[in-house]
Amino acid sequence: MNQGLREENFALRLVIGCEGRLLSGVRLLCFFLALPLAASAAVSRGFSRLLDAVVRIDVREVSFESGQKRYTGGIGSGVILNDDGFILTNAHVASPRAENINITLANLERVNARLVGWDHWTDLALLQLDLTDLKRRGLKFSHADLGDSDKMEPGDPVYAVGTPYGLTRTVTRGIISNNRRSFEDGVSTINGYETGLFNTWLQTDAAINPGNSGGPLVTEDGRVVGINSRGNNSAESLGFAIPINVAKRVVAELARSGAGGGVGAVTRSYLGLGFGPLQGLEEFYSLKQNTGVLINNVDPGSPAAKSGLKPGDILLTLDGAAVDGRFPEQLPPILDLIASKPVGATVKLAVRRNGQTNDYALLTEKLESRQGEAWSFEKWGLAVRKVSRAYARENQLEDANGLLVTGVQNGYPAAVAGLGRNDVITKINNEPITSLEAAKKLYETLAEKPDAVLLESRVNRQVSNRILKPKS
Amino acid sequence: MKTSRLCPSPRRRAAVLCGVLSVMLACAAAHAADLPALWKERVKSVVAVEFFTETELDRRTSLVAGVVADNNGTIALPPGIVGARVTAAQLKDFRVHLPGDPASAYAKGEYLGQDNLSGWNFVRVEEKVRGRLTPVTAFAGKPGTAEPAMAEEVWGIGLRGKEEDFLPYLMVARVGLVQSLPERTAVALGEVAAPGLPVFNGEGAFAGIAEGGFGSSYLQYGARGGATPIMLMNVEESRVFVLAAEVTPWLTRAPANVMGRPIPWFGANVGPTDPELTAFLKLDAQSACSVSEVYESSPAEKAGVKAGDIIVALDGKPLPRLTPERVAMRFFDREVDRRAPGDKLAFTVLRGSERVELTATLGDEPKLAREAERKYFEKLGLTVREFVFGDGVVRRVKLAEQKGVLAHFVKASTPVSTAGLQPDDWIQEIDGTEIKTFAEAVTKLAAIEADTVRTEFVLLVSRRGETQVLRVKQK
């Protein structure tokens, strides 16, 4: 796991549209263009079926960053997977923060959907149409057929279908530009959640714009081979899709874990290892080519650190299977292999150090995001997240207690008290904050009283005491 | 006072007004008549100092104004003119220019170091020009002279640029406010002197030294309307001066060595306390300081200070009430800095509801980044620097785990920069061998640089808490 997470990946952006003034003008344009486009489309039966399975997704979601509960809107795309009304889209289109998810079907009818499962690590989310409502209104929909992304080769023609800038059912054409794209500029994030560690991408020159997110990348016969998720602001014709074979596994897990009604998730394992490509270092480490992967980083306090693994070690085998991390493109599958192990399982590693090979047995932990649960204490104008274990580890905090301040509202008590982003509130009125629930309870009793509240906060390792005076 | 003596006893209000006006004119005339004579003498107490900072690739020029501190050619220069990353050895070729002399005719200066208490830098000028200089203390007011009063007229000296031979010029302003920051500091109603240069009162008595670093808030209006708040700072002239009573002792603080040693050390991060908190703690009549972090093995730690403690008294006396709050923190720092290693510092902290009396024995400040050893490997394209205490604080590394060296400088388009090494990377291993000391790193890198056969080497570096192996291809 990399530690130096950046809030934003500067080159790559997530392809999501935002409601704004621009759209009204674009919608007008759409009105004139829609008819000729539909009339001139001459496509295969499979492709036409696919078009009927692509939906527009309008999401209204809560944000806490201002210190208040605020609503924001976004537009994305999705593709219907089966007769149960499951829709695959991007995790950055529909997240657990969504209060309302509205689907526009191919027949332009609108229907609500619920979030079945969410996986920020692969940037995938699974929705389900409100079948009762569909039945009541007598609405029908079709679903897409999935292809095999492993078979895609550079040069293969592909189409992107989606809702760029809110333009429903837009088809653009291109080829597969690279079938195994990896990004070497660190871990990117969606709303602060880590993403993109465990897979490579299909790169295409089919035009992908904000709003295309979550829409399918398909073959000429309409089979879905990828989910469009990223574009590049400063370049033309650089779009990236999550391979459908990655999505198939994630969908199955999200559907299974989300069946009960809550938001499903993919459970992954964690060892605390960060890898680097070995290319060119084989001689230095006296290795044959295509043998092993370089351990670049060992998270402090992780199972790998506890077992004595060190940066500069070479991982040769994982549970007996040889590992080959010569090139950057080969690293995501190795991370995925570790993540796919059951939580709490023993993983056997053969590791080379100073020409000697040793065996290690590591107990996997559950992989956690650095992002803890978000909440806002509105009367204080304070937005927080629970400090996660991963955040505590990254920032060398003594424990994962406390609340991380993610935003304060100007002129509100938290801002007046001098709290700011990245402060960690560790005590409220001398009461240590071990959980978000505990903080909520304290808040409920304190927010109603006129008394000043004593807060202990930390930033880096520095402790401050602050007085928060409720708004009168 | 003066005006009332000179005024005839008036009977009518109009006469009073008339009288006051005429006296003011008379005073102004008298003042103006005195000033050239006062100026002629006092301008001998200022100089311009030019020096060079040599880095691996550059040689940067700095120009600052300085004040003559004594009869031995000691010149005091304002704080902040030498970067924290710059070593004394990198400061070269100090040139002392007498205002108005041709800029090509300068005297040589020797860098004496920086004083920890005042932050001032000191230079000693060569003997040949000392006779033409007068220490500013020669113009000290009579003992017991009162602080400048509100609206009192004061004047100071500014210097033009090098291309104008550092010609001195006059600035005049009235005092608007005198406050404790924590030094008694006057804010004038206009620019009164170049930062680092003296200010005098109407009688020519040394009133203080101008301090830079104060900005003024403005609104900037764009072409399309809409205002953006900005802060502007006049770097050549200042309205703020620290009073003579405060700075006169500092003029004698030229350090005994360029490192400015000894430097007393408390070893805790002491910050301001929010006024709401002081009010909450019922400390309205005073200021307090908050201890936000206590460094490992420091005098503060040994004295039993804990993070979160609130310092309320020093030597049994409550901290004075100072505004803004950060001034209280400066007050505490000054109290430490005016002592010497080995001195005691007795203080009182509030810890929860308890009041705890503590005494620390100040230590010697651990080696600073500017004192750390460094070595430039030109062929490899990097300067490595010794890992010092402050580096451990920044990287949150315990003393026992401190090792390796820092990449202080990485030259562009060299083997190490191509390999991805960045300035401030923490080099922990070279060629798979753990580096414990600076000397080990230098030996290893020197051997690598001298080896004409080898084609590559490997560094293990840590950056923002994450390590990575870098392969440096030499050929």
Side-chain angles (χ1 to χ4, degrees):
Chain A
M1 273 287 305
N2 284 303
Q3 283 189 337
L5 290 174
R6 278 183 282 163
E7 276 303 309
E8 289 301 332
N9 181 328
F10 77 96
L12 294 165
R13 61 171 157 69
L14 302 161
V15 188
I16 183 165
C18 283
E19 280 176 336
R21 256 189 309 177
L22 172 73
L23 283 180
S24 56
V26 177
R27 277 202 192 108
L28 194 68
L29 191 68
C30 172
F31 178 77
F32 294 111
L33 292 178
L35 197 61
L37 242 184
S40 63
V43 291
S44 73
R45 250 182 85 192
F47 198 87
S48 143
R49 184 178 153 93
L50 176 272
L51 287 181
D52 286 344
V54 179
V55 298
R56 163 180 167 146
I57 303 174
D58 286 85
V59 179
R60 194 169 73 107
E61 63 177 22
V62 189
S63 92
F64 296 112
E65 276 70 26
S66 62
Q68 298 287 296
K69 207 170 174 179
R70 290 271 163 86
Y71 290 95
T72 55
I75 304 171
S77 312
V79 59
I80 303 176
L81 297 177
N82 56 24
D83 291 335
D84 294 331
F86 279 113
I87 298 170
L88 181 56
T89 185
N90 278 141
H92 73 264
V93 170
S95 78
R97 303 204 305 192
E99 293 262 314
N100 184 274
I101 303 172
N102 197 261
I103 306 296
T104 307
L105 298 170
N107 57 18
L108 303 181
E109 294 290 346
R110 292 186 156 214
V111 60
N112 282 338
R114 86 165 176 100
L115 183 66
V116 176
W118 192 67
D119 184 42
H120 61 86
W121 296 100
T122 51
D123 195 6
L124 291 170
L126 189 64
L127 314 176
Q128 189 176 22
L129 289 166
D130 182 344
L131 295 179
T132 324
D133 187 37
L134 282 170
K135 200 170 168 190
R136 188 178 55 76
R137 292 160 64 190
L139 298 176
K140 297 223 175 331
F141 59 87
S142 16
H143 69 79
D145 291 326
L146 304 187
D148 182 352
S149 51
D150 289 346
K151 290 199 174 133
M152 298 311 289
E153 295 294 337
D156 286 349
V158 282
Y159 298 80
V161 190
T163 317
Y165 289 108
L167 302 170
T168 316
R169 299 181 74 205
T170 298
V171 183
T172 55
R173 186 176 64 177
I175 54 170
I176 294 288
S177 309
N178 185 306
N179 59 350
R180 216 158 47 131
R181 170 62 60 212
S182 71
F183 299 107
E184 289 173 68
D185 50 358
V187 182
S188 44
T189 56
I190 49 178
N191 286 327
Y193 289 91
E194 307 88 332
T195 193
L197 274 179
F198 301 115
N199 59 280
T200 55
W201 279 262
L202 294 175
Q203 182 184 329
T204 179
D205 64 347
I208 289 182
N209 284 294
N212 267 112
S213 268
L217 187 70
V218 303
T219 55
E220 279 175 314
D221 59 356
R223 286 179 187 274
V224 179
V225 291
I227 298 297
N228 300 318
S229 64
R230 293 179 174 197
N232 193 311
N233 264 338
S234 51
E236 279 180 21
S237 311
L238 292 179
F240 306 95
I242 300 148
I244 200 67
N245 291 9
V246 171
K248 283 174 190 169
R249 279 168 47 208
V250 171
V251 164
E253 186 58 23
L254 293 180
R256 192 193 59 74
S257 57
V263 178
V266 179
T267 304
R268 291 188 176 81
S269 278
Y270 167 82
L271 291 178
L273 291 171
F275 297 119
L278 257 178
Q279 183 179 19
L281 286 169
E282 286 91 348
E283 202 178 323
F284 176 78
Y285 288 110
S286 317
L287 290 167
K288 282 187 207 143
Q289 273 188 9
N290 302 315
T291 310
V293 62
L294 174 65
I295 297 176
N296 239 348
N297 184 59
V298 178
D299 287 352
S302 65
K306 284 180 206 156
S307 75
L309 288 175
K310 293 206 300 197
D313 286 349
I314 307 294
L315 173 63
L316 296 175
T317 66
L318 204 144
D319 278 343
V323 171
D324 175 11
R326 180 152 199 251
F327 303 113
E329 288 82 352
Q330 294 172 305
L331 303 182
I334 300 174
L335 288 166
D336 188 45
L337 185 65
I338 293 173
S340 308
K341 301 284 174 191
V343 174
T346 303
V347 178
K348 288 188 176 142
L349 308 178
V351 173
R352 181 127 158 179
R353 181 187 299 165
N354 300 332
Q356 300 224 315
T357 305
N358 286 307
D359 292 326
Y360 292 82
L362 274 67
L363 214 56
T364 61
E365 280 179 14
K366 185 170 184 269
L367 175 70
E368 284 185 2
S369 170
R370 66 199 296 267
Q371 293 280 79
E373 193 187 338
W375 195 253
S376 72
F377 299 114
E378 294 187 29
K379 286 178 185 162
W380 291 351
L382 172 66
V384 296
R385 278 182 186 281
K386 178 72 187 66
V387 170
S388 65
R389 269 197 312 163
Y391 182 89
R393 187 144 47 195
E394 264 174 38
N395 292 279
Q396 289 151 292
L397 307 182
E398 282 160 23
D399 50 47
N401 288 340
L403 305 175
L404 175 69
V405 177
T406 54
V408 290
Q409 188 171 28
N410 273 342
Y412 273 67
V416 174
L419 283 171
R421 272 174 71 97
N422 296 330
D423 281 352
V424 173
I425 300 171
T426 43
K427 285 180 188 169
I428 300 178
N429 274 354
N430 288 321
E431 194 98 17
I433 302 303
T434 51
S435 70
L436 186 55
E437 293 314 311
K440 283 185 197 172
K441 263 190 201 147
L442 272 172
Y443 169 76
E444 273 160 30
T445 58
L446 295 171
E448 299 306 322
K449 292 184 192 161
D451 305 344
V453 178
L454 176 63
L455 298 177
E456 185 193 86
S457 68
R458 286 166 194 253
V459 63
N460 294 327
R461 275 191 318 200
Q462 299 174 6
V463 183
S464 303
N465 282 296
R466 298 178 190 283
I467 295 293
L468 184 144
K469 282 188 169 168
K471 200 154 57 89
S472 52
Chain B
M1 290 298 171
K2 220 175 188 178
T3 53
S4 65
R5 256 192 286 122
L6 288 173
C7 272
S9 175
R11 285 182 186 166
R12 284 176 300 165
R13 192 171 291 176
V16 175
L17 190 64
C18 175
V20 170
L21 278 175
S22 61
V23 167
M24 279 177 68
L25 286 171
C27 286
H31 194 149
D34 288 338
L35 200 50
L38 297 175
W39 171 266
K40 206 176 158 191
E41 288 306 313
R42 278 147 191 80
V43 84
K44 292 180 186 165
S45 66
V46 309
V47 294
V49 175
E50 186 179 18
F51 64 93
F52 300 85
T53 307
E54 261 183 24
T55 64
E56 287 80 352
L57 302 177
D58 301 330
R59 190 172 151 92
R60 288 191 304 269
T61 319
S62 300
L63 280 173
V64 288
V67 61
V68 181
D70 60 22
N71 286 314
N72 303 321
T74 309
I75 311 287
L77 306 175
I81 57 166
V82 177
R85 289 171 71 92
V86 175
T87 65
Q90 287 178 296
L91 300 174
K92 310 271 182 189
D93 204 358
F94 280 80
R95 300 171 177 185
V96 178
H97 297 267
L98 270 52
D101 274 12
S104 52
Y106 55 84
K108 284 184 186 157
E110 176 201 357
Y111 183 62
L112 301 178
Q114 186 177 16
D115 169 47
N116 188 52
L117 174 67
S118 60
W120 286 359
N121 293 276
F122 289 86
V123 170
R124 179 152 298 141
V125 67
E126 62 181 319
E127 269 191 87
K128 67 174 186 187
V129 294
R130 288 182 195 170
R132 295 177 57 199
L133 301 174
T134 308
V136 72
T137 45
F139 309 109
K142 293 188 192 92
T145 306
E147 285 186 345
M150 180 184 285
E152 183 178 334
E153 198 172 75
V154 286
W155 61 274
I157 304 170
L159 295 178
R160 303 292 295 167
K162 186 180 180 185
E163 64 283 6
E164 294 173 62
D165 292 340
F166 302 105
L167 276 174
Y169 63 95
L170 173 74
M171 277 179 271
V172 184
R174 286 181 186 276
V175 172
L177 168 74
V178 180
Q179 65 181 131
S180 299
L181 293 175
E183 296 79 29
R184 296 295 289 163
T185 304
V187 182
L189 299 176
E191 277 67 28
V192 67
L197 291 194
V199 176
F200 302 95
N201 68 14
E203 288 160 353
F206 174 41
I209 288 191
E211 197 171 40
F214 290 83
S216 306
S217 301
Y218 284 84
L219 287 179
Q220 178 176 275
Y221 284 86
R224 292 181 194 158
T228 316
I230 55 165
M231 181 164 279
L232 293 178
M233 191 185 289
N234 184 344
V235 294
E236 291 168 356
E237 300 168 346
S238 175
R239 293 167 48 187
V240 180
F241 61 98
V242 185
L243 300 190
E246 301 274 8
V247 292
T248 302
W250 293 357
L251 291 166
T252 64
R253 290 187 61 95
N257 53 66
V258 283
M259 296 303 183
R261 295 278 170 178
I263 303 173
W265 187 47
F266 181 60
N269 194 336
V270 176
T273 300
D274 185 35
E276 294 286 356
L277 180 64
T278 33
F280 180 84
L281 298 169
K282 305 204 167 33
L283 299 170
D284 306 68
Q286 66 164 100
S287 285
C289 294
S290 298
V291 177
S292 55
E293 183 175 3
V294 180
Y295 303 133
E296 197 184 346
S297 298
S298 66
E301 190 188 74
K302 287 173 193 157
V305 183
K306 303 263 183 280
D309 281 357
I310 294 165
I311 300 172
V312 294
L314 267 176
D315 294 328
K317 280 183 278 179
L319 299 188
R321 188 167 185 281
L322 295 163
T323 56
E325 349 22 309
R326 61 178 181 278
V327 174
M329 166 185 105
R330 259 174 76 128
F331 177 85
F332 180 82
D333 286 346
R334 293 270 198 251
E335 285 304 313
V336 173
D337 287 339
R338 69 174 81 252
R339 285 159 217 249
D343 285 358
K344 301 263 192 248
L345 183 75
F347 53 101
T348 313
V349 302
L350 285 187
R351 186 177 297 159
S353 52
E354 257 184 298
R355 235 181 126 85
V356 187
E357 304 289 339
L358 300 170
T359 303
T361 305
L362 298 179
D364 234 323
E365 174 84 36
K367 199 180 238 189
L368 297 164
R370 65 166 194 248
E371 298 167 291
E373 289 191 73
R374 42 185 98 179
K375 168 104 180 128
Y376 181 39
F377 294 93
E378 194 174 1
K379 254 172 75 188
L380 299 177
L382 89 156
T383 300
V384 291
R385 168 168 85 63
E386 188 184 5
F387 192 101
V388 293
F389 188 86
D391 300 315
V393 171
V394 172
R395 289 173 179 75
R396 298 174 212 168
V397 185
K398 291 210 169 70
L399 281 174
E401 292 159 16
Q402 295 188 1
K403 59 179 175 183
V405 290
L406 293 171
H408 175 74
F409 166 76
V410 179
K411 192 174 168 185
S413 303
T414 54
V416 285
S417 78
T418 308
L421 190 74
Q422 294 179 9
D424 282 337
D425 277 355
W426 179 17
I427 301 171
Q428 300 183 337
E429 288 180 13
I430 299 173
D431 273 346
T433 309
E434 189 179 63
I435 298 300
K436 291 204 179 67
T437 63
F438 177 75
E440 278 176 26
V442 168
T443 310
K444 272 255 169 206
L445 290 170
I448 289 168
E449 194 174 51
D451 191 334
T452 51
V453 182
R454 68 184 293 162
T455 56
E456 63 184 20
F457 66 101
V458 172
L459 298 173
L460 177 74
V461 304
S462 166
R463 184 184 306 156
R464 290 188 288 273
E466 193 180 328
T467 54
Q468 56 182 306
V469 177
L470 302 178
R471 168 196 177 212
V472 186
K473 266 185 86 75
Q474 289 169 275
K475 284 179 183 170

